[in-house]
Amino acid sequence: MDNNTSLGTSKNHYLHIYKASAGSGKTFTLAVNFIRLLIEHPDNYRHILAVTFTNKATAEMKQRILGKLYGIAHSLPDSEAYFNEVQRATGMAEGLIRQRASQALSMLIHDYSHFRVETIDSFFQSVLRGLARELNLGTGMTIELDTKRVISEGVDLLLRELSLDDPTLQWIVNYIGSEIDEGKHWNITDSLKNFARNIHDESYQQQADNLRTQLQDTDIIRALRKQLTAERERAKKAIDTQVESFFHLLDNHALTVDEISYGASGVCGYYLKLRDGEYNTPFTSRTTDASLKPEAWASAKSPRRKEIIALAADTLMPHLLATEQLRTREVSTINTCDLVLRHLYQLQLINVVHDRILQLNRDENRFLLADTCRMLSQMQTGDSSFVFEKLGYYIRHIMIDEFQDTSRMQWDNFLHILREGLSGGNESMLVGDVKQAIYRWRGSDWRILNGEVNRELGLYTPEETHRLSMNRRSMREIVEFNNHLFKRCNEKLTALLGPTYSAPLTHAYSDVEQEHKDKEEGY
């Protein structure tokens, strides 16, 4: 669907998904739909939840909705675009639209607390306050935003309460020993505090219950360390054996490193670094040349040039390619084992730190905002309506802006209320652009918008996603450059990775091409 797609509801589909690239009017679309719902039923504001990702965006959205309602009611020129879209979507007479806009504006102003345009965090916070009793959070609970400070307090409490008969003491001693073995400082307080931030990472929270059980079993940890160490040594030995066979080849032909082109700075340097345990050594330009051309193994002035070139073509080049193939495969195993072994003691301690944090929160009657999604996700079962009825109002319409930055747990929580509203024949909308998914650090999952939402809510999803293709922000030259660049990048990626691996990105960038203003400006 293009920019001229009606914003009204469909007879058969109630969930509208808008994929809109930069400058194409995502905020305009969301505001128009919000206003349209108010024009249709002025008291709809009590049943609409519009979600943004920042406080600034929330304030701007509220201001825009109120300002355009006022503009429509009083026929102001800067609100005519909104009026025209609403009239086209509803088919209502001009006088009725302006009357309803005035009525809705008055109701919003006099019942402002139910004007629910807010951030995801503030919405879930209000849900938690309504569920304080069910969650045993206590009255007068305070919401704590500073997770870093709370984690620091939890680690300090753990270390302060250690006793000689505490099994955690041996874990800490082992952890200190592993740090010293790696040449690091024996004081592990700071590194433990930094690692403990993973407590509030969604990837950890989703596995937390299973991890807590297994990590408390000393026998499991001991067996895992033994297995990882053995697997790492096997991978190293495989590379070492392959590398030594190269130097045996040179010895068998009475060749030295210096007789090979560029000596230790050339292809032999690759093997020398691997022999020294530098397994992450990649191909250099000289090594690449040596893998492609036998002439690259011998300098022009070498008295044995022809002999070396023949040996390279017959033996050394195949050996080099086989070594790199083996190294690429085994270094992944080595790095994985190193990473797990490095953090295993920390992972074992993270459960104990988490227990101390929960203890501190109970003592101080506070709740960490970072735990909101996890707690709601754990609480919701088949009866999702119970959770949200505790808010004191019924949500019928959900509007989520910048949907590409929604995390997995956030989506799981929203999925319940979306289904609740959609099953009653009420419309909702999601607005986003997969290509602008930038908040990976807060657990966002671009794959949700890139197709998963259609599978989860296929019964209510339109047959074709709305696409807003007109870039009203950028000049013609910029738009044409982007259209060309990302189309070519997509083609190159598909050629490099193959259709199987590139398919998700190809789908994400399927709507990259934008229309532009006719005016020739920009550089």
Side-chain angles (χ1 to χ4, degrees):
M1 298 185 185
D2 58 23
N3 284 16
N4 296 320
T5 299
S6 171
L7 299 173
T9 58
S10 166
K11 292 181 179 179
N12 300 315
H13 304 105
Y14 302 99
L15 178 64
H16 296 272
I17 302 174
Y18 287 84
K19 288 190 176 181
S21 298
S24 58
K26 294 193 295 293
T27 306
F28 172 83
T29 302
L30 193 146
V32 164
N33 277 273
F34 196 108
I35 291 170
R36 176 180 56 79
L37 290 172
L38 296 181
I39 298 298
E40 290 175 345
H41 298 285
D43 64 346
N44 253 342
Y45 71 93
R46 283 180 157 266
H47 309 297
I48 303 173
L49 172 67
V51 175
T52 62
F53 273 77
T54 65
N55 290 320
K56 181 180 179 181
T58 296
E60 289 176 353
M61 180 62 66
K62 283 188 172 183
Q63 184 177 1
R64 182 180 297 212
I65 291 170
L66 293 174
K68 298 311 176 184
L69 278 174
Y70 181 88
I72 292 172
H74 294 84
S75 303
L76 299 183
D78 66 350
S79 298
E80 283 306 288
Y82 290 79
F83 169 80
N84 292 335
E85 288 291 348
V86 170
Q87 187 176 49
R88 184 171 60 183
T90 62
M92 297 168 62
E94 177 180 349
L96 183 58
I97 291 176
R98 300 198 187 281
Q99 177 190 341
R100 292 276 183 87
S102 179
Q103 184 182 354
L105 179 62
S106 177
M107 295 176 74
L108 274 176
I109 291 174
H110 288 89
D111 192 15
Y112 198 76
S113 63
H114 284 93
F115 186 13
R116 304 304 295 263
V117 180
E118 51 193 312
T119 64
I120 285 183
D121 289 338
S122 62
F123 169 65
F124 285 146
Q125 181 179 331
S126 64
V127 175
L128 276 179
R129 290 190 183 279
L131 295 168
R133 179 180 177 184
E134 286 76 10
L135 296 172
N136 297 317
L137 297 177
T139 58
M141 169 192 65
T142 59
I143 303 294
E144 178 59 61
L145 303 178
D146 191 352
T147 55
K148 185 177 180 180
R149 180 176 63 83
V150 174
I151 289 171
S152 179
E153 291 176 356
V155 172
D156 290 340
L157 180 63
L158 165 65
L159 298 177
R160 190 165 59 246
E161 291 183 345
L162 281 177
S163 59
L164 292 176
D165 57 348
D166 189 339
T168 307
L169 179 61
Q170 187 57 51
W171 297 350
I172 291 176
V173 170
N174 292 338
Y175 179 25
I176 292 173
S178 69
E179 291 288 280
I180 293 174
D181 289 342
E182 292 184 16
K184 299 180 181 179
H185 200 277
W186 63 268
N187 190 338
I188 47 88
T189 305
D190 288 340
S191 60
L192 184 57
K193 288 177 180 179
N194 289 330
F195 188 78
R197 296 179 189 176
N198 288 295
I199 290 172
H200 300 110
D201 188 276
E202 283 194 11
S203 60
Y204 171 79
Q205 291 180 343
Q206 290 169 339
Q207 305 292 333
D209 292 338
N210 185 40
L211 281 173
R212 288 172 73 84
T213 302
Q214 296 192 44
L215 291 172
Q216 289 174 355
D217 191 324
T218 305
D219 292 336
I220 290 179
I221 298 299
R222 187 182 298 110
L224 179 58
R225 290 193 68 84
K226 184 177 179 180
Q227 181 181 350
L228 288 168
T229 301
E231 186 63 18
R232 180 180 61 183
E233 293 308 309
R234 180 207 61 76
K236 287 182 178 181
K237 186 175 181 180
I239 297 176
D240 292 343
T241 301
Q242 179 72 3
V243 169
E244 286 306 314
S245 69
F246 169 77
F247 290 104
H248 286 315
L249 276 172
L250 296 185
D251 290 341
N252 291 340
H253 291 82
L255 286 170
T256 65
V257 169
D258 292 335
E259 290 179 279
I260 304 299
S261 185
Y262 296 107
S265 299
V267 63
C268 287
Y270 167 79
Y271 282 101
L272 289 169
K273 288 181 179 179
L274 291 180
R275 188 164 68 176
D276 290 340
E278 299 180 34
Y279 300 112
N280 289 303
T281 299
F283 265 22
T284 63
S285 59
R286 289 175 179 175
T287 314
T288 302
D289 285 344
S291 70
L292 300 172
K293 299 178 294 187
E295 295 82 5
W297 288 79
S299 65
K301 298 180 180 180
S302 174
R304 301 176 64 183
R305 176 175 171 77
K306 290 183 179 180
E307 179 187 347
I308 295 173
I309 290 175
L311 180 63
D314 180 59
T315 306
L316 297 179
M317 285 176 61
H319 189 283
L320 177 62
L321 292 172
T323 302
E324 179 59 10
Q325 187 177 26
L326 175 70
R327 186 200 71 84
T328 303
R329 183 176 66 249
E330 298 295 359
V331 80
S332 177
T333 300
I334 294 169
N335 290 342
T336 300
C337 292
D338 280 342
L339 193 63
V340 176
L341 287 167
R342 187 184 312 149
H343 294 299
L344 194 55
Y345 288 125
Q346 292 174 312
L347 195 59
Q348 199 172 11
L349 289 167
I350 203 173
N351 290 326
V352 189
V353 174
H354 196 189
D355 289 338
R356 297 301 185 274
I357 290 174
L358 294 175
Q359 176 186 331
L360 287 168
N361 289 341
R362 285 192 299 268
D363 293 344
E364 299 185 22
N365 195 25
R366 70 186 178 194
F367 182 83
L368 284 173
L369 187 62
D371 287 333
T372 306
C373 279
R374 176 187 57 82
M375 187 162 284
L376 283 177
S377 181
Q378 290 176 344
M379 185 172 186
Q380 293 185 68
T381 54
D383 186 15
S384 61
S385 60
F386 160 74
V387 174
F388 295 98
E389 282 172 4
K390 296 292 290 184
L391 290 170
Y393 68 99
Y394 178 60
I395 300 172
R396 294 177 187 158
H397 309 283
I398 305 291
M399 296 180 171
I400 305 180
D401 195 12
E402 304 293 355
F403 183 71
Q404 74 278 354
D405 293 323
T406 305
S407 74
R408 180 64 56 178
M409 280 189 177
Q410 288 169 343
W411 171 237
D412 289 342
N413 288 327
F414 275 123
L415 195 56
H416 291 283
I417 48 176
L418 275 167
R419 282 188 175 137
E420 190 78 16
L422 293 168
S423 62
N426 303 298
E427 66 174 298
S428 288
M429 67 177 294
L430 311 174
V431 182
D433 178 19
V434 175
K435 301 183 296 298
Q436 296 183 63
I438 60 174
Y439 292 120
R440 292 289 296 277
W441 51 270
R442 58 177 289 161
S444 68
D445 191 341
W446 60 276
R447 294 170 296 184
I448 300 172
L449 180 58
N450 203 39
E452 290 187 20
V453 62
N454 300 74
R455 291 192 290 271
E456 293 274 11
L457 296 170
L459 182 63
Y460 314 103
T461 305
E463 295 173 357
E464 187 175 353
T465 300
H466 301 272
R467 301 192 188 280
L468 305 178
S469 58
M470 173 61 75
N471 189 326
R472 295 176 172 83
R473 182 187 304 161
S474 303
M475 293 301 171
R476 177 174 177 172
E477 282 72 11
I478 300 296
V479 176
E480 289 181 342
F481 172 79
N482 285 339
N483 287 347
H484 177 76
L485 174 67
F486 288 104
K487 182 180 179 181
R488 293 290 292 137
C489 286
N490 199 9
E491 292 171 357
K492 290 288 186 181
L493 189 68
T494 302
L496 181 66
L497 299 179
T500 302
Y501 292 102
S502 63
L505 282 177
T506 299
H507 184 261
Y509 278 80
S510 61
D511 63 339
V512 70
E513 199 155 322
Q514 290 185 292
E515 299 172 37
H516 53 70
K517 302 173 183 178
D518 291 331
K519 194 173 182 181
E520 292 190 17
E521 295 181 3
Y523 297 94

